[in-house]
Amino acid sequence: MEHITLLLAIVIVTALVFDFTNGFHDTANAMATTISTGALKPKVAVGMSAVLNLVGAFLSVEVAKTISGGLINERGIRTEVIFAALVGAILWNLLTWLLGLPSSSSHALFGGLIGATLMSVGASGVNGGVVITKVLIPALAAPVVAGLAALLATRLTYRIGRGTDDKATAKGYRAGQIASAGLVSLAHGTNDAQKTMGVITLALVTGGVLAPGSNPPLWVIVSAGIAIALGTYLGGWRIIRTMGTGLTDLQPQQGFAAQTSAATVILASSHLGFSLSTTQSCSGAVMGAGLGRKGGVVRWSTATRMFVAWGLTLPAAGLVAAGAEFLTGQGTWGIAVVAVLLVAGSAGIWLASRRRPVDHTNVTAEPAAGTGLAAEPAGVVTTAMAAVTPPPPAGAADQDLSTTIPAPAATTPGQTGEPARPATV
């Protein structure tokens, strides 16, 4: 610790700020469906998620090693590069939070690291193989795998529960949903807190404090866990609204299936060292659960905006980080300018969010018109899947084909036509 310079200290603090934004940006991953189905009160949900995120930070360091020693080459990277990368990631996180879009904090960080490294040392500083195998491929596979798993789990859940009392099963699934949401929170702490650990470790290596290939020190693990837990407790209410009510309308059975599927995918990837996006996994699971219930509606306009944000995250954060790295390369004044721009940009986004605040008191309210989250009719995919319904029970066909039509009333003055009789067609 005695070898940490002022610049390195600034980078560590900035990394913890990113970890904090990661926490409130990704709270929706664990608790959006739990809140939207009424399984937990909003403040109780984020409190539980915060504690489990903190616990999860101590379970593994595999993802941290992927970032600190795999994504970019440690040798030749200056500490300023890490600072610029974090600036790009933080600003993209805040912008997507303002818009209520569940984009990937992980990919914002990866994009920042790649963009700043390319600006600093060129393509030789980025390990392309690691980017493809442990970032891009998981980014494409995670939402698809989680979505398919949630779709199948939802259909299986409803099939098992056929003929049972809806109220009784809903109560049981709410209890299961709380447990699965806790598992997602634990997985999120295991996966995402490690990303900040990896960045701080990388900064310590570039500053000469640690040897290349070192594991994160204990104080790094503790500080990263606390930062992400505090951010989680703050609650990213805008994104919770999008994932809880903006993508689809969930019942407790669907919420349980979505949470369990997402947690399984995230924990498996953490064990393998794949630094995937927990946001994409959970969002894919929510959409899969929406499609899994017959008659369920996925709001594809919201999903499309989310897909666009996913695609823009890596390049957008990378461009901002590259610009920040260009300024930091000019010397001390450039670092000061980047720091001022980061503070000013963050403050501006926060002030813009106050115009239409979302918090725990209105997070489950219907989205207002003009936000892009209002209810919409079912799309082609949803309609096609909802059409696959079981045949009606015996005798229902005859019942459905009959309707009562009143006989025409008398129209001539004084005419005493017989009373109207129902006619069956």
Side-chain angles (χ1 to χ4, degrees):
M1 293 288 286
E2 63 272 15
H3 298 99
I4 292 180
T5 63
L6 177 60
L7 176 60
L8 190 54
I10 292 173
V11 172
I12 292 171
V13 171
T14 307
L16 293 176
V17 170
F18 166 77
D19 203 25
F20 180 81
T21 66
N22 190 351
F24 74 75
H25 195 280
D26 290 2
T27 307
N29 295 345
M31 291 301 171
T33 59
T34 307
I35 293 171
S36 67
T37 60
L40 283 176
K41 297 293 185 182
K43 293 297 286 184
V44 175
V46 296
M48 169 183 161
S49 183
V51 172
L52 290 173
N53 266 273
L54 178 60
V55 174
F58 292 89
L59 297 184
S60 173
V61 293
E62 290 302 317
V63 175
K65 290 192 289 186
T66 296
I67 294 174
S68 65
L71 190 65
I72 63 176
N73 296 321
E74 297 170 328
R75 300 187 184 278
I77 297 297
R78 300 176 298 114
T79 307
E80 291 89 336
V81 174
I82 313 301
F83 179 55
L86 290 167
V87 170
I90 290 171
L91 290 177
W92 183 254
N93 264 2
L94 292 176
L95 178 61
T96 50
W97 163 76
L98 176 66
L99 298 175
L101 293 175
S103 67
S104 170
S105 297
S106 305
H107 289 176
L109 178 60
F110 300 152
L113 285 170
I114 293 169
T117 301
L118 289 174
M119 175 61 70
S120 177
V121 299
S124 62
V126 179
N127 293 324
V130 174
V131 173
I132 293 173
T133 58
K134 293 203 172 184
V135 177
L136 295 182
I137 292 178
L140 296 174
V144 175
V145 173
L148 289 174
L151 187 152
L152 295 174
T154 300
R155 296 209 164 176
L156 178 62
T157 298
Y158 277 106
R159 182 175 293 275
I160 293 174
R162 282 186 306 177
T164 59
D165 181 66
D166 287 341
K167 291 184 178 180
T169 55
K171 185 177 180 180
Y173 279 118
R174 283 194 179 97
Q177 195 177 353
I178 294 172
S180 60
L183 192 60
V184 173
S185 297
L186 196 69
H188 183 261
T190 304
N191 197 286
D192 279 41
Q194 287 188 62
K195 293 161 188 170
T196 300
M197 297 177 205
V199 169
I200 296 177
T201 304
L202 181 60
L204 294 172
V205 170
T206 62
V209 179
L210 293 177
S214 299
N215 287 337
L218 179 61
W219 67 268
V220 171
I221 297 174
V222 172
S223 59
I226 292 174
I228 200 169
L230 289 174
T232 302
Y233 184 72
L234 181 66
W237 304 113
R238 293 172 177 273
I239 300 176
I240 288 175
R241 169 180 282 185
T242 299
M243 288 188 66
T245 60
L247 273 176
T248 185
D249 299 316
L250 293 178
Q251 296 179 353
Q253 295 92 325
Q254 295 168 281
F256 173 73
Q259 298 286 64
T260 305
S261 302
T264 302
V265 172
I266 295 167
L267 287 172
S269 69
S270 297
H271 178 71
L272 296 173
F274 290 131
S275 189
L276 57 71
S277 166
T278 55
T279 300
Q280 291 182 358
S281 300
C282 293
S283 300
V286 168
M287 287 187 285
L291 293 173
R293 175 170 63 90
K294 292 182 175 67
V297 175
V298 172
R299 297 182 176 92
W300 293 107
S301 63
T302 301
T304 300
R305 292 169 61 234
M306 187 175 66
F307 295 151
V308 171
W310 290 357
L312 290 177
T313 296
L314 275 169
L319 285 174
V320 174
E325 167 56 20
F326 175 78
L327 288 174
T328 60
Q330 308 306 309
T332 304
W333 70 268
I335 297 174
V337 168
V338 171
V340 170
L341 290 175
L342 173 61
V343 173
S346 301
I349 292 172
W350 183 82
L351 289 173
S353 73
R354 295 299 88 198
R355 296 178 182 175
R356 188 176 290 168
V358 179
D359 56 27
H360 68 281
T361 62
N362 62 354
V363 68
T364 56
E366 285 296 324
T371 62
L373 303 180
E376 64 181 47
V380 174
V381 176
T382 304
T383 302
M385 297 193 71
V388 184
T389 56
D398 297 335
Q399 200 171 15
D400 292 340
L401 291 175
S402 65
T403 182
T404 301
I405 303 176
T411 56
T412 306
Q415 187 174 353
T416 59
E418 60 182 302
R421 293 191 306 246
T424 302
V425 178

